[in-house]
Amino acid sequence: DINLPPSSMSNPDAIALVIGNRDYVNTKKVDYALEDASSIRNYLVQVLGYKESNVIFQANADLDYFNTWLGTEKNRGKLSTRVKPGLSDVFIYYCGHGAPDLSKEGGQKGYIVPVKCDPNYVANSGYALETFYRNLEDLPAKSITVVLDACFSGAEIIQQASPLMMKPKIPELKKSCVLASSEATQVSNWYPEKKHGMFTYFLLKVLQNPSLADQNRD
């Protein structure tokens, strides 16, 4: 969060949507979600050359916000109106809870958990990853990058469910890059000493100093 590297990069057509969900109504808070999202916003503008007006920042997004900006099963979202075909790099960052639908009808599909959603009934008021990914794939963007500092196993927020059941089905993006803090059955961790999510902290650390990346060349 200090000593951001000076950069002459300019990406005036790039669009970013940055969401940090901390203050949940029906489950525990995500302590450092707002710090994570704020730092990501700073790096996009100061290091990666995004115009400040093209970085849409939202704290504590509800389902209406996801539907409005990212679209529903039937309608495209507001984000699509901001994309310049073939010119815009699109960057989506989300920090918060994710969860699977463990009902018999749900098929363990993965959902982003908005702040008013009850994760035990995530199909009723969650934002489906299938919808999220499908709508992103329809964008006429130059590139699409998604960063998810969230776990979708639901292991810590769904009540009275066996961990063996928590294997959500995560759809794949065909023409986009996804960087995620955990696999489907894993739990994402925090870095309390740094007041960040573990994944976001080290992502920012590499943006600050690229020589730290892939030191084992694997």
Side-chain angles (χ1 to χ4, degrees), residues 66-217:
F66 285 98
N67 287 336
T68 297
W69 276 97
L70 294 169
T72 64
E73 291 184 7
K74 298 180 179 180
N75 299 302
R76 300 174 71 184
K78 190 175 180 179
L79 181 64
S80 66
T81 67
R82 301 286 297 270
V83 173
K84 295 182 179 180
L87 296 176
S88 296
D89 294 307
V90 174
F91 183 95
I92 310 290
Y93 175 85
Y94 171 71
C95 182
H97 286 310
D101 178 10
L102 298 180
S103 68
K104 292 182 179 179
E105 302 82 10
Q108 294 185 291
K109 293 180 180 179
Y111 287 80
I112 289 171
V113 180
V115 290
K116 295 180 181 179
C117 173
D118 185 338
N120 295 285
Y121 302 92
V122 70
N124 295 339
S125 53
Y127 190 71
L129 284 178
E130 282 188 350
T131 302
F132 175 42
Y133 284 2
R134 183 175 60 249
N135 289 348
L136 284 183
E137 292 281 89
D138 288 340
L139 294 176
K142 178 182 177 182
S143 72
I144 301 172
T145 302
V146 179
V147 176
L148 299 174
D149 199 340
C151 63
F152 291 88
S153 67
E156 294 188 330
I157 60 172
I158 294 180
Q159 300 172 0
Q160 298 178 343
S162 167
L164 296 177
M165 297 171 57
M166 296 181 180
K167 298 179 180 179
K169 297 178 181 178
I170 307 297
E172 294 184 0
L173 282 169
K174 296 180 180 179
K175 63 178 184 180
S176 309
C177 174
V178 179
L179 305 174
S181 60
S182 59
E183 294 183 358
T185 59
Q186 295 176 327
V187 175
S188 299
N189 290 316
W190 304 107
Y191 198 168
E193 298 93 326
K194 303 295 184 180
K195 296 184 178 181
H196 278 294
M198 184 74 72
F199 178 74
T200 295
Y201 176 80
F202 284 104
L203 174 65
L204 294 170
K205 201 70 177 172
V206 167
L207 290 174
Q208 184 188 57
N209 183 2
S211 66
L212 297 174
D214 196 28
Q215 292 186 341
N216 60 0
R217 300 183 183 277

